[in-house]
Amino acid sequence: MIPSSSFLTERMLRPIDWAGTRAIAELGAGTGVFTKAIHAQVRPGTKVAVFEKDEQMRGRLAEEYPEFSCFDNAGSLTGALRSMGLERVDCIVSGRRSRISPPSSGRRFLGRSRRRCVPAACSSLSNIRCK
């Protein structure tokens, strides 16, 4: 696994209206490159759901960002959001597009993820548009 570059991070997060974002989900946080950038930009009171399958990475992220909610399975996005008192998020961020397979299950997952986004909200997920 190779962490994302600062250029990619800036480009992925550029469209986010930080002042208007009340809830954000990060799918496949990995080493926490996007998580760190989200933490630096997010407004107080914004709810952040971080999803990472790897137990050690997820544990490190939970320690480093205790104000964020960490989960192990982005496939359980709806239940995770509900556990945070949310039905939807304003933004979904992920650089993990190539890891979603097989294609048919990836399409179903992306469709479900799209439904968890607030209409007219931004998305930095390379293949989800919530608008």
Side-chain angles (χ1 to χ4, degrees):
M1 178 182 312
I2 300 171
S4 302
S5 70
S6 58
F7 171 78
L8 174 61
T9 301
E10 190 278 326
R11 186 168 180 163
M12 290 284 285
L13 300 183
R14 185 183 313 150
I16 297 175
D17 169 18
W18 295 104
T21 298
R22 300 290 175 247
I24 187 168
E26 179 186 7
L27 311 183
T31 60
V33 173
F34 291 142
T35 315
K36 181 178 180 179
I38 290 167
H39 185 261
Q41 303 263 358
V42 76
R43 303 284 176 141
T46 301
K47 293 187 177 186
V48 180
V50 177
F51 294 86
E52 175 50 51
K53 283 190 176 228
D54 184 276
E55 188 175 352
Q56 287 184 323
M57 287 186 199
R58 187 175 62 255
R60 186 185 59 74
L61 292 167
E63 284 180 24
E64 197 164 333
Y65 307 102
E67 64 276 28
F68 292 177
S69 299
C70 294
F71 303 95
D72 67 343
N73 186 356
S76 303
L77 181 66
T78 301
L81 294 179
R82 286 188 178 143
S83 76
M84 298 171 64
L86 299 170
E87 286 296 317
R88 295 180 170 213
V89 294
D90 298 304
C91 294
I92 297 176
V93 175
S94 180
R96 309 297 298 193
R97 179 180 186 174
S98 63
R99 299 281 306 228
I100 298 173
S101 61
S104 61
S105 65
R107 281 190 295 276
R108 284 191 303 273
F109 172 75
L110 295 174
R112 286 192 309 268
S113 297
R114 225 180 251 114
R115 289 189 294 274
R116 292 298 103 204
C117 247
V118 172
C122 76
S123 175
S124 292
L125 184 57
S126 54
N127 49 5
I128 291 183
R129 294 291 175 247
C130 298
K131 297 179 180 182

